[in-house]
Amino acid sequence: LRTRAETLKSENKDLDAKVCFNLEYQIWSLLPSFCKTPTDLLESFKVIAKTIGTLIGQRSEIRNILCTSLISLIETCQTDDQKIELGRFAKNFLPVLFNIFLTEPKPEDPPLKPVIDCVESYLTICPQDTLHVFFEKLLAKSKEEVMSDHVKKVVLELLVTMISHLSLDDLNTMYSEIVPWLSEPGNSNRQKRAYQILWSILVGRTEAHNRFVISHLDDLYKHLAESLSLAQPGAKKHRLKCLLSLVKKLDIENFEFVPSILPEIVLCVKEQNEKTRVAAYKCLTAIGYVYLDKSQDKRLAMKNYIEMIMAGVTGQTHLASATLLCLSKIVYEYNSYLETEVLDQILEIVVALMESKQREILKGVIAFIKAGIGVIHFTIMEPYVKPLLDGFCSWEKPMRHHFRAKVRVILERLLRRFGYELVHKLAGEEHKKVINHIVKEQRREKAAKSARWVERKQEESEDGGLESDGDEEMMDDFKRLRGKGSRSEMPAKLVEGDNPLDFLDSSMIPKIYKGTKKEPCSLPEKDGKFVIEDLAKKIEEAMISEGEENEADSEDEVVKAATNPFGRPSKGIYRDTKSDRDARCNKKPGPRSDGTKYKSSKAAGDMKKKGKDEPYAYVSINQKKGKSKSRGQFDNLIKAGKAGVLKGAKSKGLKGKKFKSGKPT
């Protein structure tokens, strides 16, 4: 097919060539399905391996299909012999995949994600000697000084991918190579990759990785503590992930490592990068768990941990705000392990910081109060309710305005926790109004909710068909299916007595029209919606008798309008002729016509009839004829309006004065 398509393309038969190209692509799309748990892998893969490798490098349009097929083969291997058979070809496939990854992509090239996934899958079954050769080549490539930025980036990414499968000797080589990168102040990208490689080593699950971490644990603590001041902002997230992995491996002998890294973790909770903040909070939580797990006196250990964090309150504004956020997290996570005196000490510090005029510090104070109201015990928190409320009132007006929404949330939580009487008694005059308003809103919402519930119960009781024993089971099934998201499985029927109404049956349409005066029904629109309005009268008036249908001379006389039966026609203008005026003058008084006699039964619009008015009731301003006449009508309307304004102004004695913004000047 490929050869035939190229031949047709050279003969300028583009359409036939396109068909052949599509057929070839569709045939290749079947390959991933054949590669799922094949039974003849040992016999057949060596036959097609060379073809697949060649096409991966040459045919970019089917490259992702071939990579997906290889991933399916590797993931569905059932025996060790199959893995060994596929691993034999790693020395052939991996160089091809590396070259594709190292080549700078063009806008028209397919995405490289399947190629990266294929590399990761093949590394899991690659023999160690082959992997060692590739590792040495990539490491030598990373030391070259003359290469493009894209190649540098890709080489480091490939090293990160390869770390999880290296032997112990290769891990030692890689570690000695990346340690100088941790202290490079100018190269943020290399430092970032160094922390990524180090994190991959720390979280590795092979025996080689465990032995390496145990033998280099003290050295890792030392290097990470020394590189604190040289850490680049772009590498902080990966550095925190390394710290988190090391914290989980802490012993009592290594607890002196925590004070050296704790200030960095505290400051990182205020970073702009969300992932960095999340990693910092995870480190705080992990250190707390280590203290609880490794210490005999858990409460004493948590007290020491809290005291180390509280030391940052006396620092600068940024550090003090970050410390309050960290205290909020620790109190929320380990409230049950904190003694009363520790919580009292924290609350006293929070109350004292409420007198600060720094918005950043007050933001941390509010965060702690919101977290502490729900977790700190009632008896411990109650004495500090009045100082907190007085602290809110002591803020300057711009500060109160800025935090008014957050203070309202705190007041709502205080009301739920301590009740209206206590909070209202302790609050100031300013907050009493807010508290009363909150309570009124809650009562209104509760009353409205109760009224809706009563109304729903009344509707259910009035519907006798749904209250029977047989129908209760059907409603239970409906609720169960609705909860599972299988609403479409229920039949489109409405139970009415003993006879269900099937809306999909065309014979039910006349019955749908029969609505009461209070709840009229209508036909469904084209999209299936029911427009509930009083259309029954309009439909009856729009019906035309058989005698009137025969009055249309031909289909050409029928004026087609919009799909709406009462819409205006697409073109035409009514002109009042002499005969029309005479007929109107001689006409006997009677009921005025609403235009239904012009309705056509064979088309969507109205139709002309001999000797009668034209069925048009609008003035077209887009036609040349009558344009000057219609313009004159509008001009007369404007003049009349101006004359009325001047007459009114004269009667009020405002003549000659100018008007601006509706007021005389």
Side-chain angles (χ1 to χ4, degrees), residues 290-315:
V290 169
Y291 271 96
L292 293 175
D293 186 40
K294 304 295 183 179
S295 303
Q296 295 180 353
D297 191 348
K298 302 183 185 302
R299 294 185 178 273
L300 180 61
M302 290 305 302
K303 180 180 179 181
N304 296 332
Y305 183 37
I306 288 288
E307 289 176 352
M308 283 191 293
I309 296 177
M310 283 194 300
V313 175
T314 59

Side-chain angles (χ1 to χ4, degrees), residues 227-239:
S227 61
L228 170 61
S229 60
L230 299 174
Q232 298 294 318
K236 284 186 177 180
K237 178 186 68 173
H238 304 286
R239 175 179 168 83

